[in-house]
Amino acid sequence: MAGLQPVKGTYDLLPKDRAIHRKVSETARLTAERFGFNEITTPIFEFSEVFSRTLGETSDVVTKEMFSFETKGNDKITLRPEGTAGIARAFISNALQHETPVKHFYYGPMFRYERPQKGRQRQFHQVGLELIGVDTPQADIEVIAAGYQFLSELGFADVVTLELNSLGDTESRDAYRSTLVDYLKGHYDNLSEDSKTRLETNPLRILDSKDKGDKEIVKDAPLLGDCLNETSQAFYDAVKHGLDLLGIPYTENPRLVRGLDYYCHTAFEFTTETLGAQGTVLAGGRYDGLIKMMGGPQTAGVGWAAGVERLALMLGEDCVELPRPIVMIPVSADQQDEALKLSHRLRQQGFIIDQGFSGNMKKRLNRANKANACAAILVGEDELARGCVTVRNLESGEQSEVSLDALGETLAQFNA
RNA sequence: GCGAUUGUAGCUCAGUUGGUUAGAGCACUGGUUUGUGGUACCAGAUGUCGGGGGUUCGAGUCCCCUCAAUCGCCCCA
């Protein structure tokens, strides 16, 4: 135990923070539903092979970022670093190939053992969606459109750029990889140390290296687009055509690649300048080989995931307001019971009633302000004798006596 | 995993070339007002100076280690 700090890279979501996260996840869910995606929840841990086999043995996620442990039964378990592998596993486990196309939305925590930064934690949250069982570009278009719609709903249409590329099918990508490696070997001595390693593990990654020397070399490197075979090119063109039809703006980025092995054809990222080094806010692509790789039937898939923390940062503190209560204030201890019963009844009717636990009226009104209450119900001896209470509007300061029978009606103007 | 910066009250920060009992504002508690808030005034409480070790007569201040955060690299949402 390192004192009373949360574990490195984790943090608490206090009610205000949680409300912002909820706005992000609910906007995502409602948008997804409009596209016919329904929510699924898979476990936050899986057998380690679910990730290690599918994400690529040499990917950073697998080699250094997995939170893994062993159970008492000697099962090797990993806290999920991303959502797609678990959903593919669920697809197979539940034999959903008989129900394609499958359209899933998800929200939940993910875990990566990384050095924390702003917009990057060890436990973080993603929303995402997966469209499984459709191998035509229409699926890619729908998935990207849903992502764009989601970001637009949050008000980010103008601060976000959609970058698009095609990784092609296996044939195209293999052809390109060898062309690229040949080219890079010609400049081997000038490559950065990182890129020399990547030449072995994931040469495509060198394309978006931030090293200056690498950038110079990469500038004249052969492009993936030039190696696309006819099928892959037609697929890519169809996706672009669809986006054009929908008026979704995009920028082609021939150097956009993916970190995870299972991607093919469409790769896309929505990026922003507003978050520093963590500029990617929503990203995804097509993964036609994934489900088969995991031992299921050959099934196409395309999807994306978005970082909730990053979107929450972009939204800022003032985008949500916590629910505003009506405070119940017994004027003296003698009205305690009456106030308690009244609170109970009003809550059953759907009102948000905040009943304090101590203090005189001044104190209670003070707390009401801090709780951003919209009204106060003052339960006093005099009114009660007349079958009434006093309702005070805490914004205008106006107050009036209301009979208990008409109370619900009067309060309806505040909340229900 | 690598590099740089930072770490004093709940929050934002002062703290003089190392020198007695470590300060301010906001927030908090109580009061002026025993049935009426947001304002004002008065009073009060608050710190393992991130943690550990060292140098020194003396360390918030200097040195080492460690933890965490921030920024960048790597990678990614």
Side-chain angles (χ1 to χ4, degrees), chain A residues 167-234:
Chain A
L167 306 174
D169 58 13
T170 314
E171 182 188 285
S172 305
R173 208 165 50 257
D174 287 349
Y176 176 64
R177 185 180 286 117
S178 53
T179 309
L180 179 67
V181 169
D182 286 348
Y183 169 81
L184 291 173
K185 276 183 176 160
H187 299 76
Y188 187 83
D189 292 340
N190 296 322
L191 283 173
S192 67
E193 286 309 311
D194 281 331
S195 289
K196 283 175 182 168
T197 311
R198 283 187 285 221
L199 198 54
E200 301 299 325
T201 57
N202 193 347
L204 268 54
R205 270 259 147 245
I206 299 174
L207 291 176
D208 60 17
S209 169
K210 282 170 189 162
D211 182 87
K212 271 186 185 154
D214 288 352
K215 279 185 169 174
E216 276 302 306
I217 296 169
V218 161
K219 214 168 60 181
D220 300 316
L223 293 176
L224 223 167
D226 300 332
C227 293
L228 291 184
N229 59 24
E230 212 172 298
T231 319
S232 298
Q233 187 61 53

Side-chain angles (χ1 to χ4, degrees), chain A residues 163-336:
Chain A
E163 298 186 37
L164 187 70
N165 194 20
S166 172
L167 306 174
D169 58 13
T170 314
E171 182 188 285
S172 305
R173 208 165 50 257
D174 287 349
Y176 176 64
R177 185 180 286 117
S178 53
T179 309
L180 179 67
V181 169
D182 286 348
Y183 169 81
L184 291 173
K185 276 183 176 160
H187 299 76
Y188 187 83
D189 292 340
N190 296 322
L191 283 173
S192 67
E193 286 309 311
D194 281 331
S195 289
K196 283 175 182 168
T197 311
R198 283 187 285 221
L199 198 54
E200 301 299 325
T201 57
N202 193 347
L204 268 54
R205 270 259 147 245
I206 299 174
L207 291 176
D208 60 17
S209 169
K210 282 170 189 162
D211 182 87
K212 271 186 185 154
D214 288 352
K215 279 185 169 174
E216 276 302 306
I217 296 169
V218 161
K219 214 168 60 181
D220 300 316
L223 293 176
L224 223 167
D226 300 332
C227 293
L228 291 184
N229 59 24
E230 212 172 298
T231 319
S232 298
Q233 187 61 53
F235 194 101
Y236 189 32
D237 289 342
V239 172
K240 288 189 284 186
H241 174 67
L243 295 178
D244 291 337
L245 275 182
L246 299 179
I248 297 173
Y250 58 88
T251 306
E252 287 189 75
N253 178 355
R255 304 192 213 295
L256 174 68
V257 293
R258 305 272 68 192
L260 307 180
D261 266 12
Y262 52 62
Y263 285 103
C264 62
H265 288 295
T266 313
F268 61 94
E269 273 180 25
F270 285 89
T271 59
T272 176
E273 301 288 310
T274 60
L275 291 177
Q278 274 66 242
T280 302
V281 117
L282 183 154
R286 178 164 278 279
Y287 48 86
D288 291 347
L290 173 62
I291 288 170
K292 182 152 191 207
M293 196 191 298
M294 291 181 74
Q298 169 56 42
T299 310
V302 55
W304 52 253
V308 175
E309 279 76 3
R310 292 182 185 178
L311 293 168
L313 278 174
M314 289 173 71
L315 281 173
E317 287 289 305
D318 302 324
C319 70
V320 293
E321 193 175 62
L322 294 175
R324 301 187 66 180
I326 296 168
V327 292
M328 179 69 67
I329 303 180
V331 167
S332 77
D334 293 339
Q335 289 82 46
Q336 204 75 264

Side-chain angles (χ1 to χ4, degrees), chain A residues 52 79 95 106 186 193 220 275 318 363 366 379 384 386 390:
Chain A
S52 60
L79 263 31
Y106 65 89
E193 286 309 311
D220 300 316
L275 291 177
D318 302 324
K363 253 184 176 172
N366 231 311
V379 185
L384 227 39
R386 295 189 287 273
T390 296

Side-chain angles (χ1 to χ4, degrees), chain A residues 55 73 148 166 185 252 291 322 332 343 346 351 368 393 396 414:
Chain A
L55 302 181
Y148 181 68
S166 172
K185 276 183 176 160
E252 287 189 75
I291 288 170
L322 294 175
S332 77
S343 292
L346 290 169
F351 292 102
N393 180 323
S396 64
F414 297 109

